[in-house]
Each structure stands twice: as structure tokens, then as C-alpha cells.
Amino acid sequence: MKKTSSALFSFAVMFVAALALSGCLAKNEVNLLYDAGAPKAVPAATAPRIVVVQFEDARGSAELGLRKDGTAFQSSASVAGWVTQALADELAARGAQVSVALSMGQAQMNQPQYIVAGKVEKVQLTEKNMTSYQAAIRLQTSLYSASQSTITRTFSSQQEKTGIPGAKLAEETLSGALAEALRGAAVSIMGSLR
């Protein structure tokens, strides 16, 4: 009797593991993660003051993309909020004094030297197979200041990652694509400050 229940338990464990590896038990919700790293230094009192306004989500769909089986990836949080905070973190890591505002009016109340607003135009996550994901991101930023005309630029990136099957691989692929796009945006914004 003990051997039978032990064999059944072993079979059940192997069956669940096989389902998990095949993607049948995979979650369709993706955590939106981002780590710009710690700021290299505390911003100096003379560092530029930048307010990042909550980005507009200009994508045609709330979905992040598709699994190989055709089901949609969903985000665990606001995509616009994710991009906004991640850009603020990137600018802070480059020495700027950064805050985030929910609207242009709120940003202007603080009378910062610079305001950055933008749009999330594309966030696409695709499961190529169990161990491979591809992500593409495109966003537009606009830099406003009283001393210069508005500078609007578009940044995009594409990344593919292969690794151990699971949600972490999807999250890292998406985060890596965002990091590439935002590093370009942050370098461009900091280089445009006068």
C-alpha cells in the first residue's frame, strides 16, 4: 500500500513539473520590474532639477504581447507608471534632482528647470518558445524648458533572451529592453540640458 501511494505521489509530482515546463501552468501576468542601479552620487545642489510627468500610454491595447499558445500577457501594474518611474530613476542615476508629477500642471507648480513628458508607443513581449522571449519597446520623450524650444525624440529597443523557463525570464527580457531604451533617452535628455 505504501509503495502504491508513494508511486502515485511521485507520478503526480513529475506530471505537475512536466506541465510547468511545457508552459501549461505558466502565469500570463508579468511583473514590471526595473533597476537603474543606485545613483552614483547624491545630486549636488546645483544639479539640474527635472520633473518627469506621468507618461501617456498610447498603445492600442493593454496587453503586453502573446504567448506561443496565443494567450495574452497582462501587466501586474500600470505600464505608463513603470516607464515614468524608470526614466526618473535613470535621470537620478546620472546626477539630476528628479521628481515625478501626475500631470503637466502639477509639474509646472514646482517651477523646475526642466520638464520631461512622453508617450509609451509600444511594449511587446513575445514567447518564442519555452526558453526564449523577445521584447520590443518604443517611447517618445519631450523635454521642456523656458530657455530652449521643446526637444522631442523617439527611442526604441529590442531584446531577446534565452534561459531557464519561467516568469522570471519574461520579466528580465522586458526589463532589459526598457533599460536599453531608457538609457538612450536619459543620455539624450542630460546632453540637451543648457
Side-chain angles (χ1 to χ4, degrees):
M1 189 80 162
K2 268 189 168 180
K3 285 185 178 182
T4 305
S5 61
S6 176
L8 282 174
F9 177 75
S10 295
F11 176 76
V13 169
M14 289 179 7
F15 181 73
V16 169
L19 283 175
L21 284 175
S22 71
C24 293
L25 296 181
K27 288 186 347 180
N28 284 357
E29 184 175 88
V30 178
N31 292 316
L32 301 177
L33 308 175
Y34 194 76
D35 180 15
K40 292 168 182 53
V42 175
T46 57
R49 289 183 306 116
I50 304 172
V51 176
V52 180
V53 177
Q54 176 84 21
F55 273 48
E56 174 191 343
D57 191 345
R59 300 173 302 141
S61 168
E63 297 170 353
L64 294 178
L66 296 175
R67 286 195 171 279
K68 197 163 171 47
D69 66 7
T71 60
F73 286 111
Q74 303 294 331
S75 64
S76 62
S78 160
V79 169
W82 173 56
V83 172
T84 303
Q85 188 58 56
L87 179 58
D89 292 347
E90 281 291 339
L91 293 169
R94 285 166 172 71
Q97 299 178 56
V98 185
S99 60
V100 175
L102 296 176
S103 68
M104 185 62 81
Q106 185 183 27
Q108 291 168 335
M109 283 173 40
N110 295 328
Q111 298 181 339
Q113 293 169 284
Y114 304 96
I115 296 175
V116 176
K119 293 181 196 175
V120 181
E121 296 178 343
K122 179 179 184 178
V123 174
Q124 183 71 40
L125 178 64
T126 306
E127 181 184 44
K128 297 182 79 180
N129 59 52
M130 279 190 326
T131 60
S132 179
Y133 289 84
Q134 185 174 19
I137 292 183
R138 184 176 63 245
L139 54 98
Q140 182 185 89
T141 64
S142 294
L143 175 65
Y144 301 93
S145 88
S147 63
Q148 64 192 51
S149 57
T150 303
I151 301 170
T152 300
R153 293 195 172 116
T154 300
F155 302 91
S156 57
S157 68
Q158 189 166 339
Q159 191 163 103
E160 186 172 324
K161 279 191 187 273
T162 302
I164 298 170
K168 186 174 181 183
L169 180 59
E171 292 162 359
E172 288 175 351
T173 306
L174 201 54
S175 178
L178 181 62
E180 188 177 315
L182 288 184
R183 285 185 192 121
V187 167
S188 173
I189 290 165
M190 294 300 285
S192 299
L193 305 183
R194 293 185 195 151

